[in-house]
Amino acid sequence: MFDEYLARRYRTTTRPKKEHYLVKDSAAIVGIGATEFSKDSGRSELQMVCEAVKAAVDDAGLQMEEIDGFVRFEMDYTDEMHICSSLGIPKLTYFAECGWGGGASCSTIVHAAAAIAAGVAECIVCYRGMNEASGRRYGRIPGTPSIMTAPRDHFGSILPFGHCTPPGWVAMFASRYLHEFDATAEDLAWVSVVCREHANRNPNAIFYDRPLTVQECVEARMIIEPLRLYDCCVDTDGAVAIIVASAEKAKKLKQKPAYIVGATQGNATEGELMTSYYRPVISGLPEAWYTGQELWRVTGAIPSDVNVAQFYDAFSPLIPMQLEEYGFCDRGKGMDFCRGGDRIRLGGELPCNTSGSHLSEAYLHGMNLIAEAVRQIRGTSTAQVKNAELSLVTGGLGIPTSAILLRN
Amino acid sequence: MVMEYNPKIPTLRPYIDPDNQGFWDGVREHRLVIQKCKDCGLVIHRPRPMCPRCLSTEREWTPSMGKGVIYAYVNVIYQNAGYPGIKAPYSVVVVEITEGVRILANLYDIEPEGVRIGTPVEICFDDIADDLTLPKFKRLNS
Ligand SMILES: [Zn+2]
């Protein structure tokens, strides 16, 4: 499929000089807000988003009229125009939209921080709101008789085969990953168990009062082989808002700023929306590798500098795969890193997903992971890493993705 | 047993555009064809307008033997995680064919316990409706 020439190009990145990176330390996350996380919110996504933005504005100690920018997910059903009307925000000078599902999570911060570094706006809201548990699920094909043609070319070549949901798309990568590195369902279970341990300390987590054992994981019902029930994230109703402000403004606000050291995005060739099965290797996530390479380059940090990480975990295999792609361990060693849980739980060498994350806290498309990374910098997490100085968050996988590194 | 479709929920039709038309025309005639660059000979799947190696737009459809091995697979067990119009369980496989590219399709037979990476398979075609033929894979010699 790929000859030597193409393989070489596949590995090549363009690397402008580090000193041209203007985002570093120019902006900080100053406010975080969220609704409750539930299975049935009983209200509109717009209302939940407005509630989350209000909570974040209050958290930051801002006035509503100081908000001058919004960054939304392309997939979100709400928009800045209607949010401003509900919240009485008089005007905006910046608004943007980020593509690729959960890959957009840290991309929203890339846009906000870049806009602030460029002087386009000073105080930008990044948000996501969804009634994913009770309402319109983007993760399921409705299967109504009116849908006859699969949308777009790449979907048109996979949906007719009933390969139509995120667990199936990720399960395909997982089957190859588990096969190449001789990993078992039990190995994978440790990922879910550690996330659940962290959720059991977090009263806002959907699974706060529900412990989970390895045994329960491996005996749980199969969803799409090789993924079982607890390998999959928890469908959630809720909203999260994150406010990014200039470093200068951040100093005058209520909370300890979580400074943005770096915010990067990555796309890799031969990609499709969660079905990039045609690459030389599919047991890895090259978008995450590029995003990580760029993050380490622009920040000057290396993986061992990171004190706490929130890896995007719509499905459990994505955590060991990202440990490899972001450089925390060698290729094929991600499963070893997670086995037994000691290295990834609170107190371990890299405490991961300390709120319980998507697998056990809530699935808010990565935005609840950003909120947790900020709490770690502030020192207010329910699974607080002592003296956390560098806090990593990553975006959705199997798609163009993104990551941020925060500091205190 | 073969895959079971619910006629009340139509199977999604492939989205056919000028770039992949040749592939689906072939499938309708029960032939597997793969895009090949006329200038440098690179065999490419999935179809696209330009050769990523030499940037030529001159392409042709080259016939494939349709034989290969299972490179990756999933078994849809829980109905709600699959397509409502196809009865679970069913298998989706990515097959690496001898021409060197990978094709995504279903396994013709249902036998989730027996699906393995590395299993040799060959192409077959399933006429699901008057206007819909899909490529599928069968275990070799089955
Ligand atoms: Zn060519």
Side-chain angles (χ1 to χ4, degrees), chain B residues 37 39-42 51 53-56:
Chain B
C37 174
D39 282 317
C40 78
L42 186 68
C51 169
R53 179 162 67 186
C54 74
L55 309 186
S56 166

Side-chain angles (χ1 to χ4, degrees), chain A residues 54-188:
Chain A
K54 181 173 182 297
V57 165
D58 292 344
D59 176 68
L62 283 161
Q63 299 299 312
M64 197 56 82
E65 51 272 24
E66 290 179 89
I67 300 298
D68 57 3
F70 268 84
V71 186
R72 65 186 295 276
F73 279 54
E74 179 243 315
M75 252 188 188
D76 206 282
Y77 296 120
T78 70
D79 60 71
E80 62 275 9
M81 193 166 67
H82 291 88
I83 296 167
C84 285
S85 299
S86 280
L87 288 172
I89 296 172
K91 63 170 176 50
L92 299 178
T93 58
Y94 182 77
F95 30 93
E97 174 177 297
C98 298
W100 308 111
S105 64
C106 294
S107 291
T108 62
I109 308 296
V110 176
H111 279 256
I116 287 168
V120 176
E122 206 182 18
C123 207
I124 299 176
V125 174
C126 305
Y127 74 95
R128 179 78 169 109
M130 51 205 226
N131 277 330
E132 173 68 3
S134 68
R136 293 173 283 189
R137 298 187 63 198
Y138 63 82
R140 280 256 327 265
I141 301 301
T144 56
S146 60
I147 297 181
M148 290 292 284
T149 302
R152 295 199 297 220
D153 170 40
H154 105 273
F155 270 144
S157 297
I158 58 167
L159 299 192
F161 302 104
H163 194 48
C164 56
T165 60
W169 301 334
V170 170
M172 192 69 83
F173 294 107
S175 83
R176 197 64 210 178
Y177 183 77
L178 299 176
H179 170 80
E180 287 182 21
F181 304 119
D182 284 327
T184 63
E186 192 181 315
D187 295 336
L188 218 46

Side-chain angles (χ1 to χ4, degrees), chain A residues 1-3 5-6 9 137 140-165 167-173 175-176 179-180 221-226 269-270 272 275-283, chain B residues 3 5 8-17 20 24 42-48 52-53 55 70-78 80-84 86 90-94 96 99-106 112-113 115 117 131-132 134-136:
Chain A
M1 158 191 339
F2 275 80
D3 66 3
Y5 172 81
L6 209 54
R9 213 163 74 181
R137 298 187 63 198
R140 280 256 327 265
I141 301 301
T144 56
S146 60
I147 297 181
M148 290 292 284
T149 302
R152 295 199 297 220
D153 170 40
H154 105 273
F155 270 144
S157 297
I158 58 167
L159 299 192
F161 302 104
H163 194 48
C164 56
T165 60
W169 301 334
V170 170
M172 192 69 83
F173 294 107
S175 83
R176 197 64 210 178
H179 170 80
E180 287 182 21
R221 73 160 183 260
M222 193 66 86
I223 301 297
I224 296 191
E225 191 185 341
T269 195
E270 290 288 313
E272 283 187 3
T275 56
S276 311
Y277 306 140
Y278 311 97
R279 291 168 167 163
V281 172
I282 68 165
S283 55
Chain B
M3 282 175 68
Y5 293 86
K8 289 191 192 124
I9 304 175
T11 304
L12 293 175
R13 266 49 175 176
Y15 178 98
I16 295 172
D17 65 14
N20 68 15
W24 290 106
L42 186 68
V43 178
I44 301 160
H45 191 75
R46 303 223 303 98
R48 65 198 69 174
R53 179 162 67 186
L55 309 186
I70 295 178
Y71 183 80
Y73 71 93
V74 303
N75 291 318
V76 179
I77 307 290
Y78 178 53
N80 281 355
Y83 186 68
I86 306 175
Y90 60 93
S91 305
V92 185
V93 292
V94 172
E96 192 156 281
E99 287 82 1
V101 297
R102 297 192 200 124
I103 310 276
L104 183 140
N106 294 117
E113 313 75 43
V115 185
I117 287 174
D131 63 341
L132 179 64
L134 288 178
K136 294 189 176 179

Side-chain angles (χ1 to χ4, degrees), chain A residues 231-398:
Chain A
D231 293 316
C232 305
C233 62
V234 47
D235 285 342
T236 306
D237 286 6
V240 176
I242 306 287
I243 301 179
V244 183
S246 65
E248 205 170 317
K249 193 177 182 77
K251 288 191 196 96
K252 299 175 207 145
L253 295 173
K254 201 160 96 188
Q255 305 288 350
K256 179 177 172 185
Y259 291 101
I260 296 163
V261 197
T264 58
Q265 295 175 296
N267 176 48
T269 195
E270 290 288 313
E272 283 187 3
L273 198 148
M274 297 190 74
T275 56
S276 311
Y277 306 140
Y278 311 97
R279 291 168 167 163
V281 172
I282 68 165
S283 55
L285 304 161
E287 294 87 354
W289 188 78
Y290 284 131
T291 302
Q293 288 297 301
E294 187 67 359
L295 190 68
W296 308 131
R297 185 183 75 79
V298 298
T299 60
I302 57 172
S304 59
D305 294 336
V306 174
N307 304 111
V308 57
Q310 315 299 326
F311 290 113
Y312 194 100
D313 59 340
F315 303 97
S316 61
L318 297 173
I319 293 184
M321 291 170 90
Q322 288 177 93
L323 283 162
E324 298 172 21
E325 299 295 4
Y326 281 95
F328 290 92
C329 63
D330 287 340
R331 172 125 177 87
K333 300 294 181 195
M335 216 65 261
D336 290 343
F337 203 102
C338 298
R339 194 175 292 122
D342 283 344
R343 298 169 79 181
I344 56 171
R345 61 164 60 99
L346 185 62
E349 82 184 69
L350 182 70
C352 295
N353 298 33
T354 45
S355 67
S357 58
H358 292 147
L359 289 170
S360 280
E361 184 194 34
Y363 179 59
L364 260 298
H365 244 169
M367 296 309 269
N368 53 318
L369 306 189
I370 298 177
E372 172 62 9
V374 171
R375 286 190 291 267
Q376 286 289 356
I377 291 297
R378 293 180 180 179
T380 58
S381 169
T382 50
Q384 182 61 43
V385 173
K386 259 191 206 134
N387 306 320
E389 284 176 14
L390 277 182
S391 179
L392 171 74
V393 194
T394 69
L397 290 316

